[in-house]
Amino acid sequence: MLSLSRNHYLSFLTLPNRFPFLQQSDISPCLTMALNVPGLVAVIFFYAMTLLTGLWAAWKAKKSEKNKKQTEVAIVGGRNLNVFVGLFTTTATWVGGAYINGTAEIVYLPSRGLAWVHAPLGFAATFIIGALFFVKPMRSKNYVTMMDPLQETFGNTMGSILFLPPLLGDVFWFASILASLGATVSVILDVKGSVSIIISACTVIIYTLLGGLYSVAYTDVIQLLFMIISLWICVPFALLNSASENIAYTAVNALYQAPWIGKIQPGYIGRWLDDFAYLSLGGIAWQTYFQRVLAASSSKKAMVTSYLSGLLCAVMGVPSILIGAIAVSTDWNQTSYGLPTPYERRESNMILPLVLQYLCPTYVSVAGLGAIAAAVMSSADSSLLSASSMFSYNIYKRLLRKKASEREVLWVMRLSMVLLGSAGTGLAFLSNSVYDMWFLSGELVYAILFPQLCCALFIPGTNTYGSAAGFILGFVLRLLGGESALKIPPVLHYPGCILVDGVFIQQFPFKTFTMTVSLITIVVVSYLAEFLFMKKILPPQLDVCNVFRKETSRLSQQELEEQASLQKT
């Protein structure tokens, strides 16, 4: 059975879900079957269609380069994405493999249930908050990446340091979702997961490398449409299967396991709120979100896209919720899967593909697999484009080679896609540890990068000293809070910290607390540094970051001129 500590990680559905990479020998005997030829043909067709769409979009991007900067076309699509394409690409990026698989899993788990499904409302909150506060200041200044305001406020060097958490998060995200696809394909098609990982990675790298955001956006349209149609086709067949009982009854009554509606114990309310805040606010400080915002043709269209994406993301959670409820309501002994149940075999993380495989006809389960593949690829290409965009534009051009030409930056971007994609593909074969590393990277983005972005956009006067202090303190506090997945015991035992099965569980909302402390630290240290240097309590020689040196020199010159003027009079 899954311990509470492991279930803790499953409640975060922002990005990739944890799918142990299954070798053929790891699959239960009852799951072993012959090669699913129709499914294989369908998946090959879907991959071919996606690749052709990506290549067509690359051709479209090439035409757009004639009148615009090459890097802007690759990174933000020439800033001419319409609301329809923007809506689909934004939604498809968030509604990935983690979303559809993870939502079904949380509903299915007896210790969780629907009450612990944060993603639909959390994503809606992300896009609404983003539209209300972040879209206009970012889009109106024509930034190219999310790192632009950070480098503008805190300097290129500090901005480059802040680039590390999202870089690691994107690479581990790419690896984790490839691993999840490999595990799913191994169950439904009886094909080695390594094959699907390599083919998926190559497909994504090729069309993203050639077309940039254009290819990613237009393939997202195809992928999201495929997800919507395929999942809704599967739900009625699973609902009407003779092995499944009425989900309305099992929502509040225990039949084969605990009711799928779930409940939140009073002691876990703080953690539930912490999870929801992490999902809602932590999802904003990612380049994958702002890449779509900055690609819109105007601030107004960017805001409309963000609002509509929140609504569509919430709606896209409904099929997965129903599939999780169906799994709870199923007598698995009446299916060819047999007993013990998926939960007892520790295969809860595969519940969505298992429902498709054993409660739906073959041709329907194949459509469902296509939906999973579409979800995975729609997130994989976005993470790859995100990391390579920030590296080429914010690190290479602004820090390493400031005189680099547009063509040079574009080729660096393409090379970084290949290198980062290859690294992520290699890491996909270490899925458990990769997921854990992604999870920690995502928390660091929430605890460190989100407050930095807020300060850069909304709090004037914050500077490099405050940024560095907030970064260090946020990083240290997060590590002191512990991470059981990486075998890091907590040093700080927050109120309500309990020991469950030998693992410490922090019930206090320590992630949000860490983020808040980091935000306050940036502001306080920034203003304190300004006061000390501008009042000449600290000499200009100690201004190692060159934040106030020019200003103090200008003031000193003014004082000398005033003294000279007084002497003349």
Side-chain angles (χ1 to χ4, degrees):
M1 295 175 65
L2 293 172
S3 68
L4 286 173
S5 61
R6 301 308 294 174
N7 285 341
H8 169 71
Y9 302 112
L10 295 174
S11 65
F12 294 91
L13 306 178
T14 316
L15 299 169
N17 190 30
R18 181 172 55 88
F19 280 92
F21 183 71
L22 300 179
Q23 300 294 336
Q24 200 61 31
S25 58
D26 296 330
I27 302 174
S28 303
C30 66
L31 294 179
T32 305
M33 57 186 177
L35 176 65
N36 188 335
V37 176
L40 183 62
V41 172
V43 169
I44 291 174
F45 171 77
F46 169 73
Y47 273 50
M49 183 173 63
T50 301
L51 182 59
L52 290 174
T53 303
L55 294 177
W56 170 81
W59 171 77
K60 183 178 176 66
K62 193 70 175 177
K63 291 180 63 178
S64 300
E65 289 178 1
K66 295 178 180 179
N67 303 318
K68 298 176 182 178
K69 292 182 179 180
Q70 290 178 311
T71 52
E72 284 203 6
V73 172
I75 297 174
V76 291
R79 302 190 193 276
N80 64 354
L81 285 189
N82 58 49
V83 173
F84 174 79
V85 176
L87 168 64
F88 272 67
T89 184
T90 305
T91 305
T93 301
W94 263 251
V95 181
Y99 187 93
I100 63 173
N101 285 293
T103 300
E105 177 185 4
I106 298 299
V107 174
Y108 173 70
L109 288 171
S111 60
R112 292 289 174 171
L114 180 62
W116 283 90
V117 174
H118 298 84
L121 293 180
F123 285 164
T126 295
F127 291 116
I128 291 172
I129 295 171
L132 286 173
F133 301 105
F134 291 87
V135 169
K136 190 173 182 179
M138 289 291 290
R139 180 63 186 85
S140 61
K141 293 184 179 180
N142 287 331
Y143 290 129
V144 178
T145 74
M146 177 189 70
M147 302 306 298
D148 287 355
L150 297 174
Q151 289 185 319
E152 187 179 274
T153 304
F154 305 125
N156 288 337
T157 302
M158 191 63 214
S160 301
I161 296 173
L162 295 174
F163 165 67
L164 293 177
L167 170 66
L168 294 175
D170 282 330
V171 173
F172 288 127
W173 178 13
F174 184 80
S176 299
I177 52 186
L178 287 179
S180 74
L181 179 63
T184 304
V185 168
S186 67
V187 169
I188 294 184
L189 295 186
D190 196 33
V191 174
K192 287 185 178 180
S194 57
V195 175
S196 64
I197 287 175
I198 294 172
I199 293 175
S200 300
C202 291
T203 304
V204 168
I205 290 172
I206 289 172
Y207 72 70
T208 306
L209 181 148
L210 294 176
L213 184 64
Y214 268 112
S215 290
V216 171
Y218 283 97
T219 53
D220 281 348
V221 173
I222 300 295
Q223 290 156 357
L224 187 62
L225 287 173
F226 202 84
M227 271 189 276
I228 294 172
I229 296 170
S230 299
L231 287 176
W232 279 111
I233 287 176
C234 296
V235 168
F237 286 95
L239 274 172
L240 297 175
N241 191 287
S242 59
S244 299
E245 299 293 335
N246 190 324
I247 62 173
Y249 177 80
T250 56
V252 293
N253 296 283
L255 186 59
Y256 303 114
Q257 62 181 61
W260 59 266
I261 201 72
K263 61 181 178 179
I264 305 170
Q265 299 291 347
Y268 285 85
I269 292 176
R271 203 176 93 187
W272 190 96
L273 293 173
D274 199 23
D275 293 355
F276 186 79
Y278 164 60
L279 192 65
S280 303
L281 300 177
I284 293 175
W286 288 90
Q287 169 66 5
T288 49
Y289 172 60
F290 286 110
Q291 200 140 28
R292 276 74 184 161
V293 167
L294 298 172
S297 56
S298 67
S299 298
K300 184 177 180 180
K301 288 185 178 180
M303 293 175 68
V304 171
T305 299
S306 191
Y307 283 125
L308 293 178
S309 296
L311 177 62
L312 187 54
C313 278
V315 172
M316 286 296 295
V318 176
S320 293
I321 291 172
L322 293 175
I323 288 173
I326 292 166
V328 172
S329 311
T330 296
D331 180 3
W332 289 94
N333 197 35
Q334 293 186 37
T335 70
S336 56
Y337 183 87
L339 295 176
T341 65
Y343 177 73
E344 293 167 335
R345 297 186 196 187
R346 300 190 180 188
E347 293 176 350
S348 301
N349 53 358
M350 300 295 294
I351 198 62
L352 189 143
L354 289 176
V355 167
L356 300 180
Q357 180 68 16
Y358 293 98
L359 299 180
C360 297
T362 301
Y363 62 91
V364 176
S365 66
V366 167
L369 176 62
I372 296 173
V376 167
M377 294 179 72
S378 66
S379 296
D381 54 15
S382 299
S383 64
L384 192 61
L385 180 63
S386 168
S388 60
S389 298
M390 290 187 291
F391 174 77
S392 60
Y393 189 81
N394 296 101
I395 305 301
Y396 184 80
K397 184 176 181 178
R398 289 198 168 184
L399 189 67
L400 301 179
R401 186 169 162 78
K402 296 181 180 180
K403 295 182 179 180
S405 65
E406 289 286 313
R407 185 175 180 82
E408 183 180 344
V409 173
L410 187 61
W411 276 104
V412 169
M413 181 178 172
R414 290 170 175 171
L415 178 60
S416 62
M417 281 184 193
V418 174
L419 295 177
L420 294 173
S422 300
T425 304
L427 290 170
F429 297 97
L430 308 171
S431 64
N432 278 356
S433 58
V434 167
Y435 173 80
D436 296 333
M437 289 301 297
W438 169 81
F439 187 82
L440 184 58
S441 300
E443 285 199 0
L444 290 177
V445 169
Y446 176 49
I448 296 174
L449 198 61
F450 177 71
Q452 302 272 356
L453 185 63
C454 289
C455 289
L457 292 177
F458 307 117
I459 305 179
T462 51
N463 53 55
T464 309
Y465 295 104
S467 175
F471 180 92
I472 294 171
L473 186 59
F475 181 76
V476 171
L477 277 179
R478 178 58 195 90
L479 290 185
L480 292 179
E483 183 56 67
S484 60
L486 298 175
K487 298 182 180 179
I488 302 175
V491 176
L492 288 177
H493 292 257
Y494 292 95
C497 183
I498 58 175
L499 187 65
V500 178
D501 296 332
V503 178
F504 283 102
I505 303 297
Q506 301 276 19
Q507 293 181 306
F508 182 79
F510 76 103
K511 292 183 292 295
T512 302
F513 173 76
T514 301
M515 183 273 292
T516 305
V517 170
S518 179
L519 177 64
I520 294 172
T521 301
I522 297 169
V523 176
V524 171
V525 174
S526 293
Y527 289 161
L528 178 61
E530 182 179 11
F531 174 79
L532 293 175
F533 281 110
M534 298 307 291
K535 295 297 183 180
K536 297 185 179 180
I537 299 173
L538 292 178
Q541 292 79 6
L542 294 181
D543 184 13
V544 293
C545 296
N546 294 322
V547 176
F548 307 106
R549 191 168 294 181
K550 291 181 179 179
E551 186 66 20
T552 53
S553 298
R554 185 181 64 81
L555 291 175
S556 297
Q557 183 64 31
Q558 285 181 350
E559 290 175 359
L560 290 174
E561 291 176 355
E562 289 175 359
Q563 289 177 3
S565 177
L566 288 173
Q567 289 176 357
K568 288 180 180 180
T569 58

